[in-house]
């Protein structure tokens, strides 16, 4: 996976500046490089070996009418053959075996038999991924082939069948201009896999997404799948807690980067998932250059595709000082330096055009409150407290939402402080709006918060509220 993924990101980077929203033909050619072998895991290798060594009573299944005598003969002709012995057989009869495997996947329901058929398909394709074309050829006269048998297998509930079927399905999808009509079903299934308690299941599904997201249409399909993007981003946000290594973080950020080539996704990703701050923190702690490369490339996409929606959040997340620091380092890839300089220059220009109040409003919109100068400046509140009432108290409503939803002690402490300053310099309407929106009650609840700083600022804010007559 390592070498293949690195090659993909390097080659994709070379094209991404010339892309239009519909993507270039050169990018689509990269689909040919998405091979079955890049979707791998030691756990899966162990399962393949164990299942391959298991004997299946094919004769019994023939006698019970599950499979035919000819099918048994074909299976036994290739079962347990090594790569060298399989080569001549597949060169001469590969199309017939592709048709056989599709038929068996479609009609069999026994877990042990399906597992073994998937082993046979794996051995047929292992190191010879171009043979996937035989499955397209074998299925061209049947509307449900070649995709439906593998969709059907996903519903069986067996872990190995699910993983191996999704691998084959991914290779089928990525090797044809035909668009899989059940991609939404596939992404719904994958969304549940991304929530698995088993790390190997999550890691394999992220690798599958890395392959599928090279096809622009499937980025949108994933984005529109309920809870899909939230499940993916949640893994990235909890990367340290899950003790993910650099390669797994890279694969996750690679998937996010590919998604950001879609303009709609670029416009709404941070608004929906608050991802920018997470990426900044990952870039700060990253040891591997390739992780920084793909994160900065993601920021560049977000700026180029949707600057109005993302620049303020980047400034609030302190991406500008990070870029200034990264610009002082030596990089083996000139494109990293170019992307860092582009991002730094765009942020610097945007920062100079923002007023202090616009920076503060961006903090509220992103929920990333911190002890920046606007919060602690008395002049700021004298001049701007009443502006929180504009547009039907939009900013005050956002401040109230932060009080109710955030679990970050620093964010809560700053929010409590802001409520106190707001009511102090907005005596005429402040108390009434805080009461109507529920902010007053929430601040009073936070006086018993476990964090001492939150308790202090909640108490101080409450005192300012009741001091107003």
């Amino acid at each position: 996976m390592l070498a293949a993924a690195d090659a993909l990101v390097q080659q994709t980077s070379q094209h991404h500046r010339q892309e239009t929203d519909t993507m270039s033909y050169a990018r689509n050619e990269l689909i040919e490089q998405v091979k079955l072998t890049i979707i791998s895991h030691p756990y899966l290798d162990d399962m393949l070996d164990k299942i391959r060594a298991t004997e299946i009573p094919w004769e019994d299944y023939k006698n019970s009418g599950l499979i035919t005598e000819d099918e048994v003969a074909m299976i036994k002709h290739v079962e347990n053959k090594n790569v060298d012995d399989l080569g001549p057989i597949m060169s001469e009869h590969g199309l017939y075996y592709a048709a056989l495997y599709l038929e068996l996947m479609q009609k069999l329901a026994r877990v042990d038999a399906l597992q073994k058929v998937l082993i046979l398909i794996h051995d047929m394709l292992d190191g010879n991924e171009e043979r996937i074309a035989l499955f397209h050829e074998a299925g061209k006269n049947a509307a449900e082939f070649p995709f439906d048998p593998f969709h059907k297998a996903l519903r069986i509930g067996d872990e190995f069948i699910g993983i191996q079927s999704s691998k084959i399905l991914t290779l089928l999808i990525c090797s044809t201009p035909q668009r899989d009509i059940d991609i939404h079903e596939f992404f719904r299934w994958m969304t549940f896999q991304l929530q698995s308690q088993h790390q190997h299941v999550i890691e394999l599904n992220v690798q599958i997404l890395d392959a599928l997201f090279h096809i622009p249409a499937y980025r949108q399909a994933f984005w529109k799948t309920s809870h899909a993007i939230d499940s993916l981003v949640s893994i990235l946000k909890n990367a340290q807690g899950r003790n993910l290594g650099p390669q797994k973080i890279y694969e996750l950020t690679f998937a996010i980067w590919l998604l950001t080539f879609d303009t709609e996704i670029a416009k709404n990703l941070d608004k929906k998932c608050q991802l920018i701050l997470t990426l900044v923190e990952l870039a700060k702690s990253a040891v591997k250059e390739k992780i920084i490369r793909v994160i900065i490339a993601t920021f560049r996409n977000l700026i180029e595709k949707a600057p109005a929606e993302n620049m303020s959040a980047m400034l609030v997340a302190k991406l500008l000082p990070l870029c200034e620091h990264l610009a002082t380092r030596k990089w083996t890839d000139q494109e990293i330096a170019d992307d860092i300089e582009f991002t730094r220059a765009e942020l610097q220009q945007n920062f100079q055009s923002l007023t202090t109040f616009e920076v503060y409003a961006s903090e509220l919109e992103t929920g990333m409150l911190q002890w920046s100068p606007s919060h602690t400046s008395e002049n700021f509140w004298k001049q701007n407290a009443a502006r929180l009432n504009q547009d039907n108290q939009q900013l005050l409503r956002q401040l109230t939402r932060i009080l109710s939803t955030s679990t970050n002690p620093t964010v809560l402490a700053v929010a409590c402080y802001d409520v106190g300053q707001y009511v102090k310099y907005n005596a005429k309407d402040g108390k009434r709006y805080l009461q109507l929106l529920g902010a007053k009650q929430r601040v009073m609840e936070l006086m018993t918060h476990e964090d001492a700083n939150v308790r202090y600022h909640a108490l101080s804010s409450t005192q300012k509220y009741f001091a107003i007559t």
Side-chain angles (χ1 to χ4, degrees), residues 74 90 93-104 121 124 131-139 145 150:
M74 289 184 70
M90 291 303 161
H93 305 294
L95 183 60
Y96 298 104
Y97 274 96
L100 169 67
Y101 296 152
L102 287 174
E103 290 287 347
L104 293 176
I121 297 174
M124 175 182 176
R131 288 176 184 159
I132 197 66
L134 297 173
F135 289 82
H136 290 291
E137 178 69 17
F145 286 170
F150 300 99

Side-chain angles (χ1 to χ4, degrees), residues 7-32:
L8 280 170
V9 74
Q10 286 175 330
Q11 293 181 43
T12 306
S13 293
Q14 292 169 4
H15 295 288
H16 87 275
R17 291 187 185 84
Q18 288 78 39
E19 284 187 318
T20 65
D21 290 341
T22 58
M23 309 297 290
S24 66
Y25 178 76
R27 164 58 60 79
N28 290 331
E29 281 190 312
L30 287 173
I31 297 166
E32 298 302 319

